[in-house]
Amino acid sequence: MVQHRVVLLSGDGIGPEITAVARRLLEVVSERHGFSLTFDEQLIGGAAIDVTGEPLPSTTLEACQAADAVLLAAIGSPRFDSLPRDKRPETGLLALRSGLKLFANLRPVKIVPSLIEASTLRPEVIEGVDLMVVRELTGGIYFGQPKGRIEADGDVRGFNTMTYSGSEIDRIAKVAFELATERQGHLCSVDKANVLDVSQLWRDRVDAMASGYGGVEVSHMYVDNAAMQLVRDPRQFDVLLTGNLFGDILSDEAAMLTGSIGMLPSASLGSDGPGLFEPVHGSAPDIAGQDKANPMAMVLSAAMMLRIGLKQSAAAAALEQAVDRVLAEGFRTGDLLSEGCTAVGCSAMGEQLLKAL
Ligand code: IPM
Ligand code: MG
């Protein structure tokens, strides 16, 4: 029997609750589809800081490097906000992305018909939306040097550097072009080239690559306009290619088209080695431990792991269908609740998903 080694990183806040749901579903679906999964639970984020003092212990990174895929729930807690930056939970996640060389973050945004009423946007605006945010994940202002804080002339200054090399742009643009080829053939690259030199280079490199992809229609959009277009007419987008910071912001915005950020999965991939699969949402400390979290984004991330990371597409489809079915039956966690639906908590949602599987 094929055996896949999965590292599970449940992290902080709602992480453990949604991980429990995903793990149970993965156990059932793998057995049914004739492969076996071994789960290695490791520490990251605040959970790791509490035990080891480090947000990404070397044992965790090594276990991830040796795995076939990594499934992460969420990290972060206000308890750690006053720690120095290198000791914060977020630094652990960034170090993991960087340590696994996961430069490509894919965030699919697809409207589930039964959730159309759950969005704050009008049904006629979001109906049929099916787009993919391709976010560069290991460069840009998140990682650029120099950065820090200096005191001079009686004042204090904080600074970061937004920087991309041509090769960093090329490798993420290639991912987006390939995806556009498999999808609807439209690629919109988002930047701030009217102001930023780094964005002008981004635009030039994307244009240079376009001639190699005759089937892909390329457009460019400034990020402020893209933020507006996403809520004005999101159906115009197929593949949205952008840098680390703009992608972080636009993907939260795009998530709300689906009704809740609790629905959005993501895959972070490098050129080889294991991928990291994680929901777009955070650790939601305000509802942690109260059995209120929506486990759907985590379950859909597990499905992306099965399809992209482990090449188990039938099992992936089974998980996705279970999500669709439970939503069509009217079960909702608090984030998506609307009239006539049945309110359930995180674990009861897990039970419904198991039944639907
Ligand atoms: C995300 C998150 C992370 C990011 C945080 C938690 C570091 O917001 O995955 O979108 O900014 O990349
Ligand atoms: Mg984010």
Side-chain angles (χ1 to χ4, degrees):
M1 198 185 328
V2 189
Q3 195 168 342
H4 304 290
R5 291 156 306 160
V6 173
V7 168
L8 275 184
L9 304 172
S10 58
D12 304 322
I14 59 171
E17 305 160 52
I18 61 175
T19 303
V21 169
R23 179 178 179 150
R24 187 79 196 93
L25 288 164
L26 282 168
E27 281 163 357
V28 172
V29 87
S30 57
E31 202 184 301
R32 218 172 275 172
H33 285 83
F35 58 93
S36 98
L37 296 174
T38 58
F39 296 104
D40 176 10
E41 302 215 14
Q42 295 284 341
L43 294 170
I44 192 169
I49 296 170
D50 282 335
V51 177
T52 69
E54 297 293 330
L56 180 67
S58 55
T59 44
T60 298
L61 178 59
E62 283 155 21
C64 292
Q65 281 163 338
D68 296 314
V70 182
L71 183 61
L72 175 138
I75 53 96
S77 157
R79 271 202 301 134
F80 305 102
D81 283 353
S82 56
L83 289 180
R85 174 141 337 264
D86 63 319
K87 299 287 181 206
R88 286 198 211 167
E90 289 76 7
T91 304
L93 175 57
L94 297 187
L96 179 63
R97 289 171 177 170
S98 170
L100 295 174
K101 303 190 171 64
L102 306 171
F103 65 88
N105 183 218
L106 314 184
R107 299 187 157 182
V109 180
K110 198 170 175 177
I111 303 299
V112 183
S114 48
L115 284 186
I116 277 209
E117 295 301 329
S119 176
T120 48
L121 288 149
R122 286 208 305 272
E124 63 268 29
V125 174
I126 56 167
E127 207 163 16
V129 165
D130 180 358
L131 63 89
M132 176 76 86
V133 178
V134 178
R135 170 191 178 194
E136 199 289 327
L137 203 60
T138 52
I141 198 165
Y142 272 52
F143 292 90
Q145 296 284 349
K147 62 174 186 176
R149 190 191 283 215
I150 45 169
E151 274 170 65
D153 307 326
D155 200 358
V156 58
R157 179 180 301 278
F159 55 99
N160 288 85
T161 304
M162 191 187 272
T163 167
Y164 275 114
S165 67
S167 56
E168 279 177 308
I169 299 165
D170 291 350
R171 66 179 180 178
I172 189 69
K174 183 162 186 288
V175 170
F177 273 102
E178 301 284 342
L179 271 168
T181 308
E182 294 162 21
R183 293 173 51 100
Q184 301 304 309
H186 299 287
L187 172 64
C188 179
S189 175
V190 174
D191 62 37
K192 190 69 187 173
N194 50 345
V195 176
L196 303 176
D197 292 338
V198 57
S199 281
Q200 188 59 56
L201 177 65
W202 181 283
R203 197 174 271 228
D204 295 346
R205 300 299 280 215
V206 171
D207 272 338
M209 196 170 281
S211 56
Y213 292 88
V216 178
E217 188 195 308
V218 181
S219 59
H220 299 278
M221 204 178 267
Y222 299 135
V223 61
D224 48 352
N225 186 24
M228 180 174 72
Q229 295 299 332
L230 263 177
V231 287
R232 195 189 74 87
D233 175 23
R235 263 191 306 266
Q236 71 185 284
F237 297 115
D238 177 20
V239 175
L240 265 172
L241 163 66
T242 192
N244 208 340
L245 179 63
F246 299 159
D248 178 48
I249 298 166
L250 293 179
S251 59
D252 267 34
E253 190 191 0
M256 283 317 290
L257 304 172
T258 68
S260 168
I261 196 165
M263 291 303 301
L264 230 65
S266 89
S268 304
L269 309 170
S271 29
D272 49 35
L276 169 68
F277 301 84
E278 48 172 324
V280 170
H281 64 69
S283 57
D286 53 322
I287 57 164
Q290 301 170 40
D291 195 31
K292 285 182 178 166
N294 181 355
M296 300 280 193
M298 182 66 171
V299 172
L300 293 171
S301 298
M304 285 189 96
M305 175 181 84
L306 291 173
R307 178 174 291 110
I308 301 172
L310 306 176
K311 312 285 178 237
Q312 297 286 354
S313 49
L319 279 190
E320 288 161 354
Q321 280 156 19
V323 167
D324 283 347
R325 203 164 303 153
V326 166
L327 289 172
E329 284 165 0
F331 295 102
R332 302 281 189 276
T333 42
D335 53 324
L336 288 168
L337 201 57
S338 60
E339 242 183 73
C341 292
T342 311
V344 288
C346 181
S347 61
M349 185 58 104
E351 293 305 316
Q352 293 302 331
L353 287 165
L354 269 179
K355 256 197 248 167
L357 203 59

